[in-house]
Structure formats: C-alpha cells, structure tokens
Amino acid sequence: MSHIIGRARDIFSDTGGEFHVLDTAEIEANAHITRELVNARTIPEDARLDALSGVRAGGQLRSALRWLFPEAADRDIAQYLLLDDLAGATLVSSWGWFAWEGFSRELADRIHTHGIGGNQGDMRGACIGFAEGSTSISDIGHPHIEQQSSAIVPSLVNSEDPDGWHAFPEIKGPHSRRARWIDLSIDGDTLFVETGFQDSAARQDGLRQAIHEYRATARVDAADGQILSLTATPYVLPHQECPAAVANIQRLVGQNIAALRDIVPQMLAKEMGCTHLNDVLRALSATQSLSSQLHLAIHGDGI
C-alpha cells in the first residue's frame, strides 16, 4: 500500500518581487496497488472525504468528486485540484520502483495482473500512445514497460527563486512525485498562462528520473475566458507514439477555459489524446479562479 501526500499553494508575486500566499491545501491518503483509496483526508479535515474510502482512483474517483463537490466554485480551488490529481498520480506511481531498482519483470507482471490501468489491464485504445497496433503495447494490450523511455531531470526548485515552490515532503527511499504549476499574468485584456507538469521518481544515486513531462502555454480573453491560442511541448514521454497527441489540442481553441475540466475528456477522448496531457489541460479550468484572485491582488483588495 502506498502513502500519498499532496500539497498546493496559490501565491501572488508583486512588482517588487515579494509574494503573498492566497490559498494553501494539503491532502493525505493511502492507496492499494489496485488504486482503491483508504483514509483520504484533507488538512483541515473535510468529512465529505469519508465517502472516498474504497473508491478507485480514476474515472470512479472523478465521478465521486463531482458528486461531493457539486458547485463549480468548489472545483476551482487548490484542494480539489489535489484530489482530482489522485487519478493520474496513482496510475503512474508504481513506475517509481523501476526508477529506484531498475526494470523488474516480477513487478511488471504484478502490475498487469492487477489491471492497474485500462480495461482490467488492457490499455488498447486508452490513449494515442496505446492505439491499436502501436509499438507500446502487446497483442493483449499490456504496455511494454521494459521499453519505456525516461530521463534524468534537474531539481524543479530554481536556486534563484527558492520560494517559487512550496516545501516538498522529505522522503527517504523509493517514491514518486507528480508536480504541476500554473503561472498566470495579465496584459491589457489578455491573460497569459504558462503551465508545466512532471511525473518523476527518486533514484538510489540521489538523482530524479522523469517518465512524463509537458509544458503548455495559452492566451485567454480576460473578459469572457475564450481560449485565443494554445500550445503544448512534450519533454519526456515513455513511448514514441505519445507526442502525436499535441497536434489535437487545437480543437480547444475558441472554447471557454473554465470548461476544460469537462470538455477535454470529450474532445480529446481515448486515441485523440494523451491521459497526462489531458490532465495538464483539465487543470487549466482553474484559470478563471486564479484570474479573479489576480485581479483582486492587483487592485489592492485581495491581500
């Protein structure tokens, strides 16, 4: 069973380089290898999360979250983003053992046996990287884990801006980490969004190894939330078919950014998208809430 710690922070950086904390959130949970959650809780505690016990982190979890948090405003805060990310984080977390110990056929077989992802372990058609006939999966839909690409990556913390991240948990031994960031600025009537995402794991030599990493940018009409332009750049992905998903995100241009959490799974479903790129794009639905905080902070009544 894995132990999960999630932390999030919204800050406003003023023109003098000082930052002001606008919101913080923290969650903890345990999860079985089959991704069922146990003892999920937020800090401070929210009794609604008792209903998540035994819920599988994936589509089942996200359906449960929509039921527990029916108001749209409740789904744009840091706490909700952490809970929503449990779906993807638990899917990838077992890969951390490979980063720590190297490939293990025994663990790979265990992952396939427990059906951690897809349709009881059959990943065919789950995403563009696992399209029927792709080099990334076997004839029965099991990913070729032993062939996955990954890369050693530097620390996310910028030495010239050490406060740019909240404090990371200090964990010894094998562990995985899903990190994402959304930076928002405004110029006139346009919002500029820069976002990034990385799944990485610890290595025994003290370095970190990543299995997924994307960066994306967007320009958004500040008045109505319409997406004016959208780009995504893959940095680290496990299979040669994965980067093709980037071409399809232009379907989202012209859509309202606040609706991305709901429309991305529809417009970039299955072989039209990448599970992890979709998570990057879905998280951008929080832009509307962040832009409201930015407006308040700029005009002096939000701090």
Side-chain angles (χ1 to χ4, degrees):
M1 184 176 293
S2 60
H3 181 63
I4 303 165
I5 301 171
R7 294 177 180 174
R9 183 187 68 177
D10 293 340
I11 66 169
F12 168 69
S13 297
D14 62 28
T15 55
E18 297 294 322
F19 74 86
H20 309 267
V21 177
L22 305 178
D23 187 21
T24 62
E26 186 167 351
I27 65 170
E28 289 194 24
N30 295 318
H32 295 285
I33 190 172
T34 46
R35 300 168 64 201
E36 288 84 8
L37 297 176
V38 181
N39 299 328
R41 67 187 186 95
T42 59
I43 303 172
E45 294 199 20
D46 186 330
R48 288 176 291 185
L49 268 63
D50 292 344
L52 297 182
S53 182
V55 171
R56 179 181 168 94
Q60 187 181 35
L61 169 66
R62 286 175 171 165
S63 294
L65 289 175
R66 287 192 294 271
W67 177 74
L68 291 172
F69 300 88
E71 299 299 326
D74 289 338
R75 297 197 293 269
D76 285 336
I77 61 176
Q79 173 183 289
Y80 190 93
L81 293 179
L82 288 175
L83 292 168
D84 184 83
D85 239 349
L86 288 173
T90 55
L91 177 64
V92 178
S93 61
S94 58
W95 177 83
W97 285 105
F98 299 128
W100 186 262
E101 296 182 345
F103 177 74
S104 162
R105 172 50 60 187
E106 179 182 0
L107 177 57
D109 289 344
R110 187 180 178 199
I111 290 172
H112 297 326
T113 299
H114 285 289
I116 290 177
N119 181 13
Q120 296 182 333
D122 184 349
M123 297 294 287
R124 285 175 293 184
C127 62
I128 202 166
F130 294 139
E132 189 78 42
S134 70
T135 63
S136 59
I137 51 174
S138 69
D139 292 340
I140 58 174
H142 288 172
H144 292 307
I145 299 175
E146 70 278 10
Q147 298 177 10
Q148 289 179 335
S149 298
S150 57
I152 295 174
V153 290
S155 171
L156 290 174
V157 178
N158 183 343
S159 60
E160 297 182 2
D161 183 23
D163 294 323
W165 279 96
H166 53 66
F168 291 147
E170 295 184 8
I171 304 173
K172 295 182 179 180
H175 63 275
S176 299
R177 181 177 68 206
R178 167 163 286 202
R180 73 168 69 256
W181 59 98
I182 302 173
D183 291 334
L184 183 67
S185 60
I186 187 167
D187 185 5
D189 57 2
T190 303
L191 294 171
F192 294 88
V193 186
E194 296 184 29
T195 185
F197 153 93
Q198 184 190 86
D199 283 325
S200 68
R203 292 164 43 111
Q204 294 192 43
D205 58 8
L207 300 175
R208 292 202 72 84
Q209 194 150 337
I211 186 72
H212 303 115
E213 183 169 348
Y214 279 103
R215 306 286 175 91
T217 64
R219 289 190 307 112
V220 181
D221 188 302
D224 62 12
Q226 182 185 36
I227 299 172
L228 304 175
S229 67
L230 184 63
T231 67
T233 304
Y235 280 72
V236 183
L237 291 172
H239 302 291
Q240 66 182 28
E241 291 88 353
C242 298
V246 169
N248 293 330
I249 70 171
Q250 296 308 309
R251 291 171 165 230
L252 302 175
V253 174
Q255 300 294 324
N256 190 292
I257 199 163
L260 288 185
R261 183 176 287 112
D262 295 324
I263 66 174
V264 165
Q266 300 169 15
M267 299 183 70
L268 300 177
K270 298 185 179 296
E271 296 179 10
M272 290 302 299
C274 162
T275 301
H276 311 290
L277 178 57
N278 283 4
D279 278 352
V280 173
L281 299 170
R282 290 177 66 255
L284 291 181
S285 61
T287 297
Q288 186 175 48
S289 174
L290 291 173
S291 65
S292 295
Q293 293 186 60
L294 179 62
H295 175 82
L296 290 172
I298 290 173
H299 292 281
D301 52 358
I303 296 176

